[in-house]
Structures are given as structure tokens and as C-alpha cells.
Amino acid sequence: MDRWQAMRIFVKVAETESFAEAARHLHLSAPAVTRAIAALEETIGARLFVRTTRSVKLTEAGGRYFDDCRRILADITEAEAAAAGSYATPSGTLTVTASLLFGQMYVLPIVTDYLDAYPAMTARTFFVDRPVNIVEEGVDVAVRIGRLPDSGFTAIKVGTVRRVVCGAPAYFEKHGVPTAPAELKDHRIAVSTSAWASPEWRFASDQRVVIHPTLHCNTNEAAIATAQAGWGLTRVLHYQIGPALLEGRLQVVLSEYEEPPLPIHVLYAEGRQAPAKIRAFVDRAVAALRGNRLLN
């Protein structure tokens, strides 16, 4: 087996932390993967993995070799793609992930505009309210809300979102406007159990209020609809009610007590070596999201 193929197998085992999973991704047999790693370790003269019955972890030497292998393989891929022209013109299928509601409201229009600009492209959206492993699930670009853990991915900040308490003008006319978090106990509250199951709402200066909701909804949309109907208050990420805020159907209260906003990043793996299909989409996404006044 040539060194390039052995490096590919090594990188995939390191990424998946599994010989069997790497074999599945590479369409090889598990014994072939095991032999390739053993031969590589013999050639290098160092153990690359610590294997147990339950896990496969990189050794210190393996970690250094992993970084070098990813760089070398990326250089090879870039050279091949440049020769084929795919770094000049977007081609293939682009996979984009984001949280469910944010993806539908703000990312999907960027995807369709992108497809209009590049008719040869196809796209797949993966909008879910759970962490998505970009490498394992074959994602090209992710739009993430929240503080990011350290990783080798390229992350471009494009905006922020706030957690806000909101209600309809008609509700406030009838029940008054709360002027401090403690006053929420005097108001009807609708909450989304899918997003914030905790009964404790946190505010700036470490203020905490235990909420006793009158209505529990299983979706953000239902809680927002209840607030728009003038029935009570709810707490959401402000991008979720952007159109309603602009149209005056909802208004935010207690803004001076809000916690610091959460950052929004566009995240992708290849950095400067990303193919044209990714670079073209990232450029559009960054410009569109930074230009959205609801997010900045």
C-alpha cells in the first residue's frame, strides 16, 4: 500500500477514533485498515494509537503526525483540484448546516441565491437543533450560534444574537410592562420546552429568576405565536422574532438586563485550501449575515 493511501487511512482512523468506522468510510475491510496502520507504525518506528476494547486514541507522536498528514493530504487535494479546475469554478454538491429556525429564516435564502448564481451546483441543507460533527456528517459549511470550542476549523464571526423577553403591545397595554426581572412573577409566561427547559432565567449581573410558566409549548414557534396573540410573555433568541419586531407585532422588554449576546460564526474545515464551492458560499454567507441589521 502506498504512503499516500496509508496516510488517508491513518487520518480517517484518527478522525473517527475507530478502525471499523474508518473502514466503512473508506470502503475497505477492517483487516486492511489494521494492516495499513501497523505497516505505517513499523515504517515510522513509533506507535500512533493507543488501542483498547472501547476506544482508539492518538499517542503524542500520533497527534503530531496527524497534523502533518492533514496538511500534506490537503496540499495534494489542492494540487489535484487546481489541475482539474475545481478551485476556479464551484462544482458538485454543497452541504450546509445550522440550527432549525435560524437555518430556515436566514441561511436558506443564502443557499437559494447561491444556487441561482451557480446553476451547476446542487445543495443539501441540514437544519437541526443539535451539535453536528462537520467531518463525520460530511458538512461543508456550518453556521453556529454560541461560543465555539477550540478546533482546527476556520471560523468567521458574522453577528450576534440576544436572549430577549418579549410580548405583544396589546398585552402590555392590558397588563403593564415589567421594569425588572423580579416582576416577571406577576405576568403570564409561555415557554418552549424544546429550547429552554430550565425554570431559571438568567440576566445580567448574575440575576436569576425562577419562572413558573402558565403554558409549556414544545416548539419555539408555538410560544412566539402565543406571545403575538397577546396572551403572555415568552423568552427567545431575538432573531426568531425579527420580522415580528420590525412589523411591531412584538416588542422587547427588560433589554437593559440582558446577558451578553451570543456570537454567530460561519465555520468550515479547509481554510484557505477550501474548494471554490465552499469559498463562494462562505463569501456570500458572510456578506449577507453581516449585512442583516437584526443580527448586528
Side-chain angles (χ1 to χ4, degrees):
M1 183 175 294
D2 63 51
R3 185 69 61 83
W4 175 79
Q5 176 69 348
M7 285 183 175
R8 285 185 66 231
I9 292 172
F10 165 72
V11 167
K12 188 57 67 176
V13 172
E15 288 175 343
T16 61
E17 298 185 345
S18 166
F19 280 66
E21 190 69 12
R24 186 179 68 81
H25 279 278
L26 296 172
H27 306 290
L28 297 171
S29 67
V33 170
T34 301
R35 287 194 299 270
I37 297 301
L40 199 55
E41 289 179 327
E42 183 176 353
T43 300
I44 294 170
R47 286 189 72 186
L48 300 175
F49 294 103
V50 176
R51 308 171 181 89
T52 69
T53 56
R54 293 188 175 183
S55 67
V56 177
K57 300 292 183 183
L58 286 167
T59 63
E60 184 177 349
R64 292 194 297 269
Y65 189 59
F66 174 66
D67 292 336
D68 290 337
C69 283
R70 287 190 67 180
R71 175 179 50 77
I72 292 167
L73 292 175
D75 288 343
I76 293 172
T77 300
E78 181 179 15
E80 292 175 341
S86 68
Y87 271 66
T89 304
S91 61
T93 299
L94 183 81
T95 302
V96 181
T97 189
S99 59
L100 182 59
L101 197 52
F102 189 90
Q104 291 173 352
M105 294 177 67
Y106 298 98
V107 179
L108 187 58
I110 301 171
V111 173
T112 53
D113 286 345
Y114 171 82
L115 293 176
D116 287 341
Y118 301 103
M121 285 293 304
T122 59
R124 181 174 72 99
T125 60
F126 192 32
F127 299 151
V128 290
D129 289 329
R130 66 169 176 82
V132 172
N133 187 305
I134 292 177
V135 174
E136 291 184 5
E137 301 193 46
V139 171
D140 295 306
V141 182
V143 181
R144 294 270 169 84
I145 297 173
R147 289 162 186 82
L148 299 175
D150 291 335
S151 71
F153 299 141
T154 298
I156 303 173
K157 187 177 178 181
V158 294
T160 58
V161 296
R162 299 151 47 206
R163 288 191 177 100
V164 299
V165 178
C166 64
Y171 176 87
F172 295 124
E173 287 177 11
K174 186 175 180 180
H175 300 280
V177 177
T179 59
E183 294 179 14
L184 291 171
K185 69 180 187 309
D186 300 322
H187 290 265
R188 290 196 299 196
I189 305 291
V191 298
S192 168
T193 54
S194 63
W196 290 323
S198 173
E200 184 178 76
W201 287 1
R202 298 186 179 187
F203 294 89
S205 302
D206 202 31
Q207 293 189 62
R208 305 183 183 197
V209 177
V210 176
I211 300 299
H212 300 283
T214 309
L215 176 62
H216 296 262
C217 303
N218 71 318
T219 66
N220 285 315
E221 293 91 334
I224 292 168
T226 300
Q228 286 189 79
W231 185 87
L233 307 182
T234 193
R235 194 186 195 203
V236 293
L237 294 174
H238 86 274
Y239 77 80
Q240 297 169 335
I241 56 171
L245 290 175
L246 292 176
E247 295 164 9
R249 290 180 281 120
L250 287 173
Q251 65 186 64
V252 171
V253 295
L254 302 176
S255 57
E256 65 270 34
Y257 295 97
E258 291 171 8
E259 291 182 299
L262 299 169
I264 309 169
H265 290 91
V266 173
L267 193 70
Y268 60 107
E270 289 89 347
R272 65 178 182 83
Q273 297 167 330
K277 69 174 185 178
I278 293 177
R279 289 185 285 109
F281 180 81
V282 167
D283 289 345
R284 283 177 172 267
V286 169
L289 295 172
R290 283 181 174 171
N292 190 320
R293 64 188 176 117
L294 291 172
L295 306 177
N296 290 276

